[in-house]
Each structure stands twice: as C-alpha cells, then as structure tokens.
C-alpha cells in the first residue's frame, strides 16, 4: 500500500473486486465509490478504508438521481466503474423510453444519492 499517492484502490480481500477508493484531501483521506462519489467524511486513512469496505458497494444499491436537461430523475445503478455508470431511469417523469443509459465520468453535479 502506497499512501504517498493521492488515490488508493480498496479491493475485497477474497476475490479482488474493486470496492471503491480513498483519496487524500485537505482533511485526511476521503472514502469514495468506484466512480468517485464521496461516501463519508474525510479522516484518517484507516477510517476511510473501513468505510469503503463497509459501504462502498452497498451505497450503489440505493436510489440515485441523475441530471438531464436541467432536471433530476430517480434511477438505479446497474453497473459502475471508474469511467462510467450505467443507470436505469426509475422516475415516471422521465420523458424518454429507455431501459438504461450510460453516464460518462459522473460527478456529484450530475449523479447523486436520491433525496
């Protein structure tokens, strides 16, 4: 483990699956999802790593919202990786008839946990 880098992958011990990341911030280390969404406050490295191991994948199973044409729509995450997230719209207001869409490099300004 090299704590000198700004971001470190956290992988599950038994199968090596990527659970998320910890990233160096001004306040320590921040726990992040596989696509970089913050899932807890920054703090010591060990606490951030523990949060990723505990909640890194579970948080993906909840309700999320994506931004399209200035409107937020509810969705569920089907697949997530560092570069893209595939979501299924789950909002009766969504005007398009798509089973799923791919969000490239989503940020908290374009994809967020449901409210």
């Amino acid at each position: 483990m090299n704590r000198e880098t700004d971001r470190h992958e956290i992988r599950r011990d038994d199968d090596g699956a990527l659970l998320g990341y910890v990233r160096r911030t001004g306040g320590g280390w921040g726990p992040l999802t596989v696509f970089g969404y913050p899932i807890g406050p920054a703090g010591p490295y060990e606490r951030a790593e523990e949060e990723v191991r505990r909640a890194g994948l579970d948080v993906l199973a909840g309700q999320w919202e994506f931004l399209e044409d200035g409107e937020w729509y509810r969705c569920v995450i089907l697949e997530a990786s560092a570069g893209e997230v595939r979501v299924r719209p789950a909002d009766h207001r969504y005007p398009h008839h798509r089973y799923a869409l791919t969000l490239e490099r989503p940020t908290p300004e374009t994809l967020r946990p449901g409210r």
Side-chain angles (χ1 to χ4, degrees), residues 38-59:
I39 56 174
Y45 183 92
E46 291 76 15
R47 188 170 67 201
E49 179 182 5
E50 183 180 312
E51 183 66 12
V52 171
R53 290 187 183 283
R54 184 187 68 75
L57 295 181
D58 289 344
V59 71

Side-chain angles (χ1 to χ4, degrees), residues 20 61 77-78 86 111:
I77 293 175
L78 300 174
R86 188 166 162 80
L111 182 65

Side-chain angles (χ1 to χ4, degrees), residues 4-80:
E4 298 305 313
T5 61
D6 287 342
R7 189 174 85 163
H8 184 258
E9 290 182 350
I10 304 298
R11 294 189 172 271
R12 194 165 38 210
D13 293 333
D14 60 349
D15 64 1
L18 181 64
L19 301 173
Y21 299 92
V22 293
R23 180 177 59 206
R24 186 187 304 271
T25 67
W29 291 87
L32 307 170
T33 65
V34 295
F35 56 90
Y37 193 91
I39 56 174
Y45 183 92
E46 291 76 15
R47 188 170 67 201
E49 179 182 5
E50 183 180 312
E51 183 66 12
V52 171
R53 290 187 183 283
R54 184 187 68 75
L57 295 181
D58 289 344
V59 71
L60 302 181
Q63 280 286 325
W64 286 78
E65 296 177 334
F66 68 97
L67 183 66
E68 184 174 285
D69 297 329
E71 292 287 328
W72 287 98
Y73 298 101
R74 289 186 321 262
C75 66
V76 293
I77 293 175
L78 300 174
E79 298 174 53

